[in-house]
Amino acid sequence: WKKRSSDDPKSRYLFFAVAFSIFAIAFGMGQNLYLQWIFWKFIPMFDRFRAPNRMIWFAWFFGSIYSAIGLDLLLKNRDAAKKYSRFLLWSCAVFVGINLIAITGLFDLAFPPHEIRAELWKLILPSFSLAICVTIFFLLLRRGILSARSAWIFAAALIVFDLFYFDFTWHRN
């Protein structure tokens, strides 16, 4: 990323997307974030928003755009998986770790009412299993085990499973 110029469309808006996503997530956390007073004090009419968690949709949108750019880069350039392997594996490790922490209920213990929700693991298990599958996908891609055609099929299957099967708690209609 350091070698790319600001004229490159893949990195032109990266800083804005990351900064705005952090803001959107912090804004969308509502009362669960202890820094909420910043929004009440410095953002006009913040108390008039009915559902600030809708700001997280912007983070999802940026994530979707950059995921598509990254997937296009990986599938068109076979050496990209090896070139960016450290970044990909660290990203996968972070997502697997966060899902593992969430399954254990540590996030529930960190925020009020400090109780682990019943059957929390059922809610997070699809996300955890998909994070494991994506990690396996990148490992297979990095080692050159997947051909270009099978990489497309594997990636498409992961996307379809994520959108239509694993995502049973959101947007089912």
Side-chain angles (χ1 to χ4, degrees):
W1 293 105
K2 292 179 183 178
K3 295 178 185 176
R4 293 187 179 182
S5 68
S6 62
D7 295 335
D8 186 355
K10 293 178 183 171
S11 61
R12 181 177 301 155
Y13 304 109
L14 182 65
F15 176 77
F16 172 76
V18 169
F20 191 80
S21 294
I22 291 170
F23 169 76
I25 291 170
F27 188 88
M29 288 289 288
Q31 295 175 349
N32 294 318
L33 186 67
Y34 296 116
L35 301 174
Q36 193 66 27
W37 63 270
I38 294 171
F39 296 110
W40 289 95
K41 187 171 183 179
F42 296 111
I43 298 177
M45 298 180 54
F46 179 76
D47 58 337
R48 304 281 188 233
F49 285 107
R50 188 174 56 117
N53 62 343
R54 292 182 181 161
M55 283 292 287
I56 295 177
W57 291 352
F58 290 110
W60 289 342
F61 179 67
F62 284 133
S64 299
I65 289 172
Y66 280 102
S67 294
I69 291 171
L71 186 60
D72 182 54
L73 177 70
L74 279 177
L75 295 178
K76 284 185 179 176
N77 183 1
R78 297 298 293 167
D79 295 330
K82 292 179 182 172
K83 184 177 180 181
Y84 301 114
S85 64
R86 182 181 294 164
F87 170 75
L88 294 172
L89 294 178
W90 271 106
S91 299
C92 289
V94 166
F95 283 115
V96 168
I98 288 173
N99 277 292
L100 197 59
I101 290 170
I103 282 179
T104 61
L106 291 177
F107 289 128
D108 281 356
L109 292 176
F111 298 108
H114 306 290
E115 295 175 1
I116 298 176
R117 288 174 274 176
E119 299 184 354
L120 177 67
W121 66 273
K122 285 183 181 178
L123 181 66
I124 300 171
L125 186 62
S127 176
F128 179 67
S129 58
L130 192 69
I132 295 289
C133 289
V134 169
T135 304
I136 292 169
F137 171 72
F138 285 133
L139 286 173
L140 293 176
L141 199 63
R142 180 179 178 256
R143 293 183 184 250
I145 295 172
L146 289 177
S147 66
R149 185 177 196 163
S150 59
W152 276 100
I153 292 169
F154 199 107
L158 285 173
I159 292 167
V160 167
F161 285 137
D162 180 40
L163 292 176
F164 297 109
Y165 179 71
F166 285 143
D167 204 12
F168 65 88
T169 57
W170 292 90
H171 314 297
R172 201 51 151 138
N173 56 356

